[in-house]
Amino acid sequence: AEIDKRTARVTSLKAKFIQRKRSPLLKRPIESSGTVIVKGDRLRWDTLKPELSILTVDSATIRIYYPAAKTLEIHAAAGDLRLISGTPLPRLSDLKAQFTFQEVDLASLGAAADAKDMLALELKPIKAELQSHLTSVHVLINTRLPCVQRLVIADQDQETTEIEFTDVQ
C-alpha cells in the first residue's frame, strides 16, 4: 500500500532500459536498449538498438511502429495484457488481482542483500489465461523512488525477458 501511495504521486518518469531476451533456442540473448517514458497512464518505449521501434501503450491501445519497414501494429490493450506491459511504475494493487506475491531474496535479482530501499518480489499468475503464457514475474523495486529497477518475465516456453531500468528521472 505504501509503495502504491508513492507511485501515485509520480506523474511522469523517464529512464534508460536494456532488455535481454533469452531462449533455449538461442546461443546468446537478444539485447535491445533505449528509453522509456511514463506520463499518467501512458507508456512509450523508444528502442534505439538494435533497430529503431516505438511502442506506445494507453488505456485502450498498444501500438508498435517500425520506421524502417514503415509498419504500424495496433493491438487492443485488454486488462491482462496491459498489466504485463513492463512499466517501471506498476500499481501493485492492480496486480494483486492477477498474481500472488511472495518476497524473494534481493540477491536473486542482483541487489545487495542489505539494500534498504529495495524490495524483491516473485509474482505468480492466478488466472489460467495468464498461466498459459507466464510462469512467473520477478520484480526488483526501488521503494524510495518508487520504480522498478529490474524485471524478469519467465514464460511457458522457458524463455525469459529481463528489463533493467537505469538513469531514472
Side-chain angles (χ1 to χ4, degrees):
E2 179 60 31
I3 292 170
D4 270 358
K5 203 183 298 184
R6 289 181 188 173
T7 301
R9 290 193 297 253
V10 179
T11 57
S12 65
L13 177 142
K14 182 177 182 179
K16 292 181 182 177
F17 74 87
I18 296 176
Q19 176 178 280
R20 294 175 190 90
K21 291 188 177 205
R22 291 180 171 81
S23 170
L25 303 174
L26 301 173
K27 288 183 182 179
R28 292 182 303 211
I30 297 171
E31 189 171 296
S32 58
S33 62
T35 59
V36 61
I37 300 169
V38 179
K39 186 152 178 92
D41 70 342
R42 295 174 183 243
L43 179 68
R44 177 180 169 134
W45 292 81
D46 289 304
T47 300
L48 304 174
K49 294 179 183 178
E51 188 175 319
L52 184 63
S53 69
I54 301 165
L55 178 140
T56 60
V57 180
D58 61 31
S59 60
T61 311
I62 296 173
R63 294 178 176 88
I64 309 169
Y65 176 57
Y66 303 96
K70 297 179 183 173
T71 303
L72 176 65
E73 294 179 11
I74 301 174
H75 307 275
D80 291 350
L81 183 57
R82 185 163 161 51
L83 286 174
I84 59 170
S85 61
T87 179
L89 290 172
R91 289 300 182 98
L92 299 178
S93 56
D94 293 342
L95 293 172
K96 283 186 109 175
Q98 308 294 330
F99 296 91
T100 61
F101 285 55
Q102 180 176 339
E103 194 167 350
V104 295
D105 183 42
L106 290 168
S108 70
L109 284 162
D114 61 350
K116 294 183 184 348
D117 293 330
M118 295 294 180
L119 174 65
L121 298 172
E122 177 183 51
L123 286 65
K124 294 267 190 169
I126 296 170
K127 294 183 177 181
E129 183 180 345
L130 275 177
Q131 289 173 348
S132 68
H133 300 288
L134 299 174
T135 56
S136 66
V137 179
H138 286 82
V139 183
L140 180 64
I141 299 172
N142 182 321
T143 59
R144 183 180 40 80
L145 291 177
C147 176
V148 170
Q149 187 169 317
R150 178 170 283 140
L151 173 71
V152 181
I153 302 168
D155 68 22
Q156 292 294 349
D157 297 325
Q158 294 157 358
E159 296 180 344
T160 60
T161 301
E162 176 185 338
I163 305 169
E164 185 174 346
F165 298 101
T166 59
D167 299 332
V168 177
Q169 300 172 16

